[in-house]
Amino acid sequence: MAMLWKFMRVAKYSKTALAPKVKVRGIPTHSRHSSSKSVPSDSAANTPCSNTVELLGKAYPQDDYSNVTEKILSKVGKNLHNKKHHPLWLIKEQVKDHFYKQYIGRRGTPLFSVYDGLSPVVTTQQNFDSLLIPLNHVSRRKEDNYYLNCDHMLRAHTSAHQWDLIHSGLDAFLAVGDVYRRDTIDNTHYPVFHQMEGVRLFSCHELFSNIKDGEGLQLFEQGHRTAHKQECHTMEAVRLVEFNLKQVLTKLMTHIFGDGLQVRWVDCYFPFTHPSFEMEINFQGEWLEVLGCGVMEQQLVNS
């Protein structure tokens, strides 16, 4: 069973296995697992001919879906979240430091691994299909995304790497990166922003080991989907994962913003988690959304 969360914008919005596990979204971990190096901005984009876009060393044929602009292409590869002392780097390091100290694995090393060098160019299958997003879902619109062609795009969220990282055998990780959406620019929106996303998978033993008489509790059942759980999860498992998820994220926000922080949780909908929640914090007298999270769809984990 698994949980997932994502820190939005500057800090955007946790373990699931196959049969015996449940999935959760969201924690950073050890930088020794970082996946790739940053790409220098001066070699990020080039358009050698009118019907091809060359980006990060690869050429992409243009078609009717192609809508990425030169201005946006010039942003790809800057990797501000990896530039030492940049505000985004400082936030990333602050979150990493918190999780390195708070969550330790069985061998005394950080529980979560960090991937902050993954390419922002992904396939539409990675960005949508791997996350169970329907073909007719509004989030696929050309008006909302930057497409290189019908098969490749600039990632709209770090969730685009979720399936690949889980498939590689990871059960606790943080993905960090620049993401791209065709937003209207205002004081809280810009077409390029950054996300930090965490995923954690739980085995039955990990979830119930500290519960009195928990030996008989199970992750899975043949039940019915309700507003509070998926059809395959037991209510006991979902409640524990939800409690763990909210506790972890509340501690993180307190670490970032300080004691006395006012937090509230709002039920919401994401195609790849159920139940799903958004965290809001009280900022200057108004409630501000800072992250989204939830229990990962077991179908996604099983895939």
Side-chain angles (χ1 to χ4, degrees), residues 1 20-22 202-204 207-208 218-220 232-234 237:
M1 188 169 184
K21 297 196 174 187
V22 177
F202 287 101
S203 68
C204 192
L207 195 58
F208 298 126
Q218 299 295 323
L219 293 179
F220 301 103
C232 59
H233 293 159
T234 65

Side-chain angles (χ1 to χ4, degrees), residues 70-94:
E70 288 291 334
K71 183 68 172 179
I72 295 300
L73 287 174
S74 70
K75 306 292 186 182
V76 180
K78 289 186 178 298
N79 296 306
L80 300 180
H81 59 288
N82 287 333
K83 291 190 180 298
K84 196 170 184 179
H85 303 309
H86 188 280
L88 290 169
W89 179 87
L90 292 171
I91 294 175
K92 182 188 74 170
E93 292 301 309
Q94 187 177 16

Side-chain angles (χ1 to χ4, degrees), residues 272-291:
F272 36 81
T273 56
H274 181 76
S276 304
F277 315 97
E278 290 176 343
M279 175 195 275
E280 297 180 350
I281 65 172
N282 194 291
F283 176 71
Q284 296 182 348
E286 297 185 1
W287 289 102
L288 175 69
E289 176 193 347
V290 290
L291 61 87

Side-chain angles (χ1 to χ4, degrees), residues 180-199:
Y180 302 80
R181 297 182 191 172
R182 297 185 67 183
D183 284 343
T184 301
I185 298 175
D186 59 26
N187 63 340
T188 59
H189 294 83
Y190 191 74
V192 187
F193 58 102
H194 292 72
Q195 289 184 340
M196 301 181 68
E197 174 164 335
V199 170

Side-chain angles (χ1 to χ4, degrees), residues 45 48 139 150 168 170 192 247 297:
S139 66
C150 63
S168 71
L170 297 173
V192 187
Q247 183 183 55
E297 286 283 353

Side-chain angles (χ1 to χ4, degrees), residues 8 11 16 57 59 78 80 103 112 117 123 151 182 187 202 206 210 215 228 230 240 247 259 274 277 279 299 301:
M8 304 184 65
T16 307
K78 289 186 178 298
L80 300 180
Y103 305 98
F112 289 84
T123 64
D151 296 319
R182 297 185 67 183
N187 63 340
F202 287 101
E206 289 168 327
N210 293 324
E215 296 83 1
H228 305 289
Q230 298 172 40
L240 280 174
Q247 183 183 55
D259 295 330
H274 181 76
F277 315 97
M279 175 195 275
Q299 179 185 346
V301 181

